[in-house]
Amino acid sequence: MKSAKFLLSLALVCLALPAFAAAPLTDFLAAADHPQLAADASPVSNVSFTVGHMKIKLASGAAARVLAGADTVGFFFKGNGSFEYESTDTAELPVVNHNVKAIAHVKLAADAARAVISDNFTEVLIVGGGVPWPELAGSGGTAVNEAFKAHEELFARLYGFGPRSHFLALQKFSFPAAKMIHAEFMGGRDNLLYLHDYSEENLWTVAPLRRFSDDKRMQQRLYPGLLSQQPVGRDRATAPRPAFALSAVDYTLIADGDNAKLEITETITRSAPSINVLPFAMSDERIFRANVAPRKYNVRGVTDEQGRALPFDHHRSALLVDTTGIAGPTFKLKFVIDGDFLVREGGDNAWQLGLGSPWMPLPHEWLGQAFTIHSLVKVKKPFIAFAPGTTVKRAEEGDFNVVENVLDKPVQFTTVQAGKYVVYEEKKGDRTIRVATYGLRNDRAAKQLTSLAFSFIEELEIFLGPFPFNELNIIQMNEYGNGQAPPGTMYITNEAFNPTQSFVDQIFSEGINERFAHELAHQYWGYVVRMPSSEEQWLSESFAEYSAAIVLKRLRGDAVYNRLVSTWKSRARDGVNVAPIPYANRIEGDYMMSFIARNALLYSKGPYLLYTLHKEVGDTVFLTFLKSYTKSFNFKYSTTKDVAGLLGFITKKDYKPFFEQYYWGTAMPQ
């Protein structure tokens, strides 16, 4: 018998073989969802496998090829192995150090230039393509079938990602030349997942939910915890290029109680002709109450413009659609969706399809979301509905209240809210502001909020330019202590409507003007200027926070402004040593601690950084910068590079070192 060993093939062996590419998407997924091992296992000794920043050493053991149908898609190894993963993104080193200590038990060696995460393992499943693929040589190795079965059972409990089969389908049918590797490690100090795709590579822990849940399903599931994330084929300041972009949405939603039917036509532009299988984010279920059957989103069909049914697969909040045969880069897809996904939180007489939630099919990357909207929403009486945009009509059709809206400017997110509301409306010039109070009429509060909105908008227009929407809906949420800003919309909680009604209202009423101004500023920061990725979220949150402070300074004087600046400087300390601003959303660990640290960066350090710039360049220059910024990137994407560039153009000073130190770094601006 031949000496047992893995031999690296000299040829590039990819998964996207011509014979396999001819197989339909659904056939491939059926096979990839139930992979099998080849009959013979081979002995392995001292073999290395490297992709990206990951180096895997298979010291001794046995391995077998993993098959999807008749085709090899990877291999499964059992024995003694180890890995080293290197992070060379100096900006992420603080958060790598924090996350490893907070959620993992792996080894970490770090200096100022890099961090190396390493560990041993006893089992690894590696699937993917686009890389030189190891060959199995010889036979007679120790059987690995039982270990493979146990491995599959464990990782089947992993939630937070789309199915592994979707990952493989994307490599085969859309990115055949890309290095795409999915590796699952067991038997070390932690169970781990490594992913390398066409835009980034990640290393995750795989563990039970890190905060308490009394839902048995949640207790049984495993969830990812991020250790490192590095860009592939781009620098860290450049957002990942989306597989496709969504440019227009036209939908009809019919709602009756908890049940809904959604017919939606989306205009799609793929980024390359080879991208035939499109990956969407699309919810499939929602657990809304412990140990009660989840609410379902059912994708019933996907068709092209000619009405031809397209193959698709929908589960684990992921939707793949096969568009093979559709000509051209831009085309339309129609989705038919139904389910009982209208959840009345806390038993309220209201429901919401939330901002940024994939209640309709969406590109995964924020850079792929910039769409106009035509919406027609029908809700069973006595509910009434609200959607962003200019109102085309409000009417009654039998048992239904109907609203139709058009939003002709490309936005990144959208929403629908419906419930038992009473509406107060006021118009000044071309602008209409309506306030929807929950349950009961509250004209006094509605008039106060309308007046406040008109006043704040007038101030925002002075230094940010024309307010972007002619209609603004201010909608009461039956809870306390938060606000949110979909396009042309503000969700604001009870204390804004009843500032002196109860002790609870009084507690949460502190800072309500700041929150109100912050949410109004989001109509600029988030829509007029869009974020290309979560790493640039400070362009939304920090800029909205600082714009709100400018409004309050103009209307209320220096005292409130100085208090906010002092608060930012103090609270920023909760996050500055954990991560830089762009990686605020990567912080893992204790839920409350990570929440506080994230907020400290986006809502405190970020606005304090802007305050520092404002103080340095003065009122005239800084307010000119803000107005020029919103004008230059009017309903476009922007980055921190653009911020530094525009500041430099206006002031004739190079601000790249400033942002390298205070934005990409953990130092506090002085």
Side-chain angles (χ1 to χ4, degrees):
M1 185 170 62
K2 274 177 102 173
S3 171
K5 181 174 204 186
F6 260 133
L7 300 175
L8 286 177
S9 172
L10 295 178
L12 185 67
V13 182
C14 298
L15 293 178
L17 302 175
F20 199 86
L25 172 66
T26 50
D27 288 350
F28 168 64
L29 291 173
D33 276 330
H34 301 92
Q36 304 294 318
L37 292 184
D40 290 332
S42 299
V44 175
S45 178
N46 294 323
V47 171
S48 295
F49 181 81
T50 300
V51 60
H53 292 86
M54 173 64 79
K55 297 179 181 179
I56 301 171
K57 183 177 182 179
L58 309 174
S60 62
R65 292 179 297 120
V66 177
L67 307 175
D71 288 75
T72 299
V73 296
F75 66 90
F76 177 74
F77 167 83
K78 180 174 175 57
N80 296 314
S82 61
F83 75 84
E84 285 190 354
Y85 170 89
E86 182 183 38
S87 171
T88 57
D89 177 4
T90 55
E92 83 152 357
L93 298 185
V95 74
V96 169
N97 181 66
H98 169 83
N99 287 356
V100 168
K101 292 178 180 178
I103 64 172
H105 307 87
V106 294
K107 298 175 185 176
L108 177 66
D111 56 29
R114 66 177 194 149
V116 177
I117 299 170
S118 61
D119 202 6
N120 299 320
F121 59 84
T122 60
E123 299 172 18
V124 63
L125 171 66
I126 302 178
V127 296
V131 296
W133 207 241
E135 284 186 353
L136 284 170
S139 60
T142 304
V144 295
N145 299 68
E146 290 302 315
F148 179 68
K149 180 180 178 182
H151 181 102
E152 288 288 88
E153 289 175 352
L154 177 75
F155 276 87
R157 295 162 51 198
L158 176 61
Y159 281 70
F161 295 102
R164 187 174 62 206
S165 59
H166 284 201
F167 181 88
L168 294 174
L170 285 176
Q171 200 281 332
K172 280 188 171 293
F173 298 116
S174 289
F175 299 96
K179 294 179 181 180
M180 294 183 64
I181 292 295
H182 177 120
E184 301 167 355
F185 298 88
M186 284 181 62
R189 302 182 192 186
D190 299 297
N191 297 319
L192 299 166
L193 174 65
Y194 170 77
L195 294 176
H196 185 295
D197 65 19
Y198 52 87
S199 67
E200 62 189 27
E201 62 178 318
N202 306 269
L203 183 64
W204 309 78
T205 61
V206 174
L209 193 67
R210 291 181 175 85
R211 61 181 186 269
F212 174 77
S213 172
D214 55 4
D215 186 89
K216 294 179 181 178
R217 293 159 298 194
M218 303 287 284
Q219 295 168 4
Q220 294 168 357
R221 293 177 179 179
L222 303 175
Y223 293 89
L226 184 65
L227 299 181
S228 171
Q229 179 177 314
Q230 298 185 84
V232 170
R234 57 188 173 89
D235 62 51
R236 68 189 181 197
T238 302
R241 187 185 183 195
F244 64 94
L246 172 62
S247 60
V249 167
D250 188 338
Y251 72 85
T252 297
L253 174 68
I254 301 175
D256 186 353
D258 300 333
N259 302 306
K261 182 175 182 180
L262 177 63
E263 293 188 357
I264 180 167
T265 299
E266 298 188 350
T267 302
I268 302 294
T269 301
R270 50 183 154 214
S271 59
S274 62
I275 299 176
N276 292 311
V277 171
L278 303 183
F280 293 87
M282 176 66 218
S283 295
D284 64 328
E285 68 172 25
R286 180 176 175 186
I287 295 176
F288 73 103
R289 190 179 303 157
N291 305 311
V292 173
R295 299 293 185 86
K296 293 291 187 179
Y297 299 78
N298 307 303
V299 178
R300 300 299 185 184
V302 185
T303 55
D304 65 9
E305 290 183 74
Q306 287 71 44
R308 296 175 298 188
L310 301 178
F312 69 91
D313 186 72
H314 178 223
H315 65 293
R316 294 286 177 95
S317 292
L319 172 65
L320 281 189
V321 179
D322 188 353
T323 64
T324 303
I326 298 180
T330 301
F331 49 87
K332 294 181 180 181
L333 298 178
K334 181 178 180 180
F335 303 86
V336 176
I337 301 165
D338 65 25
D340 56 352
F341 52 81
L342 303 179
V343 177
R344 306 185 190 194
E345 298 285 359
D348 286 351
N349 284 315
W351 52 258
Q352 180 185 118
L353 298 179
L355 185 69
S357 172
W359 53 268
M360 64 177 181
L362 293 172
H364 288 276
E365 299 89 353
W366 288 3
L367 195 58
Q369 299 181 36
F371 48 90
T372 59
I373 308 168
H374 172 254
S375 62
L376 181 64
V377 183
K378 302 180 180 183
V379 294
K380 198 73 171 289
K381 297 176 181 178
F383 279 23
I384 60 173
F386 303 89
T390 300
T391 303
V392 176
K393 71 173 182 180
R394 277 197 176 272
E396 297 182 17
E397 294 182 4
D399 292 335
F400 289 86
N401 285 320
V402 179
V403 63
E404 182 178 4
N405 293 82
V406 171
L407 189 52
D408 60 1
K409 299 172 182 176
V411 294
Q412 200 162 22
F413 309 109
T414 192
T415 184
V416 184
Q417 177 82 17
K420 293 183 70 173
Y421 285 101
V422 178
V423 179
Y424 172 87
E425 184 173 295
E426 190 171 331
K427 187 171 183 178
K428 287 186 178 180
D430 293 332
R431 180 165 299 122
T432 298
I433 296 178
R434 61 181 64 88
V435 176
T437 56
Y438 175 71
L440 300 173
R441 178 173 294 278
N442 190 345
D443 286 349
R444 179 183 176 187
K447 290 177 182 179
Q448 290 175 342
L449 292 177
T450 302
S451 176
L452 190 64
F454 277 120
S455 175
F456 282 5
I457 287 172
E458 287 176 4
E459 294 299 323
L460 287 167
E461 288 187 317
I462 292 171
F463 61 93
L464 295 181
F467 195 72
F469 304 110
N470 287 332
E471 294 189 22
L472 175 69
N473 297 320
I474 302 172
I475 303 172
Q476 181 178 2
M477 307 302 293
N478 190 27
E479 53 188 270
Y480 288 90
N482 64 70
Q484 199 174 48
T489 308
M490 181 195 299
Y491 294 138
I492 196 87
T493 47
N494 289 331
E495 64 276 11
F497 295 81
N498 301 291
T500 60
Q501 183 181 12
S502 69
F503 178 68
V504 173
D505 287 316
Q506 291 176 30
I507 292 174
F508 285 105
S509 290
E510 184 178 356
I512 189 64
N513 283 339
E514 290 97 319
R515 197 183 328 147
F516 200 84
H518 176 100
E519 303 306 336
L520 282 175
H522 266 310
Q523 303 303 318
Y524 295 91
W525 307 113
Y527 303 109
V528 173
V529 178
R530 293 195 298 270
M531 307 164 284
S533 68
S534 62
E535 284 75 25
E536 297 281 6
Q537 195 171 2
W538 90 298
L539 294 177
S540 175
E541 299 300 346
S542 301
F543 276 69
E545 183 73 3
Y546 194 69
S547 296
I550 294 174
V551 167
L552 293 171
K553 181 180 182 179
R554 293 175 63 89
L555 292 176
R556 303 286 191 267
D558 289 344
V560 64
Y561 176 80
N562 293 337
R563 175 178 60 79
L564 287 170
V565 171
S566 177
T567 300
W568 296 333
K569 186 175 183 180
S570 175
R571 290 181 178 174
R573 298 190 185 100
D574 292 328
V576 290
N577 294 323
V578 179
I581 292 172
Y583 297 152
N585 290 307
R586 299 187 185 183
I587 300 170
E588 299 280 1
D590 175 79
Y591 175 74
M592 186 53 66
M593 190 289 288
S594 59
F595 175 82
I596 291 171
R598 173 189 179 273
N599 283 7
L601 295 170
L602 294 178
Y603 297 92
S604 293
K605 183 183 177 182
Y608 189 76
L609 186 155
L610 294 173
Y611 159 77
T612 305
L613 290 169
H614 190 169
K615 183 174 65 172
E616 176 184 322
V617 303
D619 271 356
T620 300
V621 171
F622 190 79
L623 297 183
T624 298
F625 154 71
L626 290 180
K627 199 165 190 176
S628 298
Y629 192 25
T630 59
K631 183 178 181 180
S632 299
F633 295 95
N634 189 35
F635 285 92
K636 298 177 183 178
Y637 290 104
S638 178
T639 68
T640 303
K641 277 185 181 179
D642 300 318
V643 175
L646 184 57
L647 271 170
F649 176 79
I650 292 173
T651 63
K652 310 307 178 187
K653 175 182 175 180
D654 183 6
Y655 276 94
K656 292 179 183 177
F658 178 92
F659 284 98
E660 192 66 27
Q661 183 177 6
Y662 300 123
Y663 177 74
W664 290 106
T666 56
M668 271 291 287
Q670 302 301 317

